[in-house]
Amino acid sequence: MNPTIKDVAKKANVSIATVSRVLNNLTGYSDKTKQKVLRTIEEMGYQPNAIARGLINKRTQTIGVLFPNVSSSFSSAILHGVEEFAHIHNYSVVVCNTDEDGKRTLKCLQVLREKQVDGIVFSSEVLKEEYYQAMEAMRIPVVLVSSETEIPSVPYVKVDDRRAAYEAVEYLIHKGHKHIAMISGSEADPIAGLPRIEGYMKALADHDIPFRQEYMFYGDFGFDSGCAAAEQLFVKAPGCTAVFAASDEMAIGVLSMAARHGVRVPDDLSVIGYDNVKLAEMVVPPLTTVNQPLIEMGSEACQKLIYMIETGEAAKHTTVPHHIVERQTVRALD
């Protein structure tokens, strides 16, 4: 049978309360006592009972993470950062797929409530009022990642999407391109759709390049939508020399369709993406893109959440840095 905390206390000749305080890094004992308890725990192979510990501190050491598309490269990178930090700090992670339009978000929140998670990382989706109300009823902290809100009590971790998109388009302009198309997310998306469109349009305006509606195409940040947009681009905007895709998956869709149609990248068409997922350096040719530090963003969000869980204090917003990663899909025009 597994030894109990009572067995440890008896062998170490201390009280059960002292063993509990050592396990939970509380004060009230000497270093000599601490070392004796830890040595006894190791010798006996004692494993603290997470359920029993949860009854004491009213925590489950579990956090929930919500993504609109768990299978995407983008979500996988953020989740990697969340899980790494959570694991180091002895938290488990429950992942929920809310679906692209958030149809399952409220259901996922109910599941997390039943699981009694200690906090939630909410990714890439607008924090609608009904979602916030559901989380408020749970009385647990929430941190957004790759999203933002004006609610003061909900911190977020994200890049400046408008600025990052601006710099991606300006990079193409500095390479001599003036006929620049964009494949964006929805204009109705205030998180990653509209800000990146605004960045694209401002970069054009600041360099006296007129915006052309026929150079604007829309997708949903996924590979298939990038393929579909590229098909339209080759027909409706044959004069384009470059395209800015608002996600790497859409940019890779452009590369795929370009190869199918005999459009050479970057000789005939330069392509720049957004995210810098792992796949961006694996495709041929390797994709030039805007780097979002996705793993670090996940880790930062988890760090904020655990801080809020354990201290009961608020955390601040973080705007993380971005930069352009030059590879082989953009060429300078003569």
Side-chain angles (χ1 to χ4, degrees):
M1 292 180 63
N2 293 327
T4 66
I5 191 170
K6 185 177 180 180
D7 296 328
V8 172
K10 184 177 180 180
K11 185 170 182 180
N13 197 27
V14 297
S15 68
I16 294 173
T18 297
V19 177
S20 177
R21 297 181 77 81
V22 170
L23 288 169
N24 288 285
N25 283 321
L26 301 175
T27 57
Y29 48 82
S30 68
D31 187 63
K32 182 179 178 181
T33 298
K34 177 181 178 180
Q35 296 308 318
K36 181 168 66 170
V37 170
L38 292 175
R39 189 166 56 249
T40 304
I41 287 170
E42 186 175 355
E43 289 171 358
M44 297 184 73
Y46 170 69
Q47 294 291 326
N49 186 314
I51 295 173
R53 189 168 62 241
L55 291 173
I56 296 169
N57 60 25
K58 298 196 169 21
R59 293 197 206 124
T60 60
Q61 296 295 115
T62 305
I63 62 174
V65 185
L66 279 74
F67 288 110
N69 183 0
V70 172
S71 64
S72 73
S73 301
F74 174 91
S75 297
S76 297
I78 289 180
L79 181 58
H80 177 71
V82 171
E83 287 190 316
E84 283 291 300
F85 192 90
H87 175 73
I88 291 169
H89 291 82
N90 299 313
Y91 279 77
S92 300
V93 176
V94 177
V95 183
C96 291
N97 186 354
T98 61
D99 210 355
E100 293 294 348
D101 59 1
K103 285 185 292 189
R104 294 200 292 259
T105 301
L106 287 173
K107 186 173 181 180
C108 287
L109 288 173
Q110 181 59 35
V111 169
L112 294 178
R113 183 170 191 164
E114 291 168 3
K115 297 282 186 186
Q116 296 185 312
V117 298
D118 298 326
I120 292 174
V121 173
F122 189 83
S123 173
S124 307
E125 194 182 343
V126 177
L127 183 60
K128 296 178 182 177
E129 180 65 23
E130 59 263 39
Y131 304 162
Y132 177 65
Q133 292 299 332
M135 294 176 190
E136 274 280 278
M138 295 166 73
R139 299 184 180 278
I140 57 174
V142 179
V143 176
L144 307 187
V145 60
S146 191
S147 182
E148 62 183 321
T149 180
E150 294 182 357
I151 300 170
S153 61
V154 181
Y156 57 79
V157 180
K158 73 185 297 293
V159 302
D160 183 338
D161 286 274
R162 192 174 285 99
R163 184 70 204 170
Y166 181 100
E167 291 177 8
V169 177
E170 189 173 59
Y171 173 82
L172 295 172
I173 294 169
H174 287 163
K175 292 291 185 180
H177 296 276
K178 294 183 178 179
H179 300 283
I180 303 168
M182 179 179 184
I183 302 175
S184 80
S186 168
E187 289 179 290
D189 172 9
I191 303 301
L194 186 59
R196 296 178 196 178
I197 293 171
E198 291 175 343
Y200 163 77
M201 296 180 72
K202 182 164 173 44
L204 295 180
D206 285 355
H207 292 82
D208 299 318
I209 299 172
F211 168 71
R212 298 173 63 171
Q213 188 62 53
E214 66 268 28
Y215 282 5
M216 178 65 75
F217 303 89
Y218 298 94
D220 61 8
F221 299 107
F223 173 79
D224 290 340
S225 73
C227 291
E231 292 275 14
Q232 295 180 52
L233 185 151
F234 297 148
V235 173
K236 297 179 180 178
C240 283
T241 63
V243 58
F244 164 49
S247 76
D248 283 348
E249 288 199 21
M250 293 196 298
I252 292 166
V254 175
L255 298 185
S256 179
M257 289 300 101
R260 186 175 299 181
H261 287 273
V263 176
R264 298 170 301 165
V265 176
D267 294 346
D268 301 326
L269 181 69
S270 289
V271 181
I272 186 168
Y274 193 109
D275 288 332
N276 195 29
V277 298
K278 188 67 178 173
L279 196 57
E281 60 183 304
M282 299 166 64
V283 293
V284 179
L287 180 67
T288 295
T289 186
V290 176
N291 178 72
Q292 290 197 83
L294 299 173
I295 294 175
E296 292 84 352
M297 287 164 64
S299 179
E300 175 87 7
C302 190
Q303 180 178 355
K304 287 183 188 298
L305 187 65
I306 291 176
Y307 172 81
M308 293 168 74
I309 290 168
E310 297 189 349
T311 67
E313 297 179 7
K316 295 181 179 179
H317 309 312
T318 300
T319 301
V320 295
H322 62 270
H323 64 273
I324 291 173
V325 179
E326 294 187 277
R327 294 196 179 102
Q328 297 173 29
T329 55
V330 175
R331 79 175 182 99
L333 299 183
D334 298 331

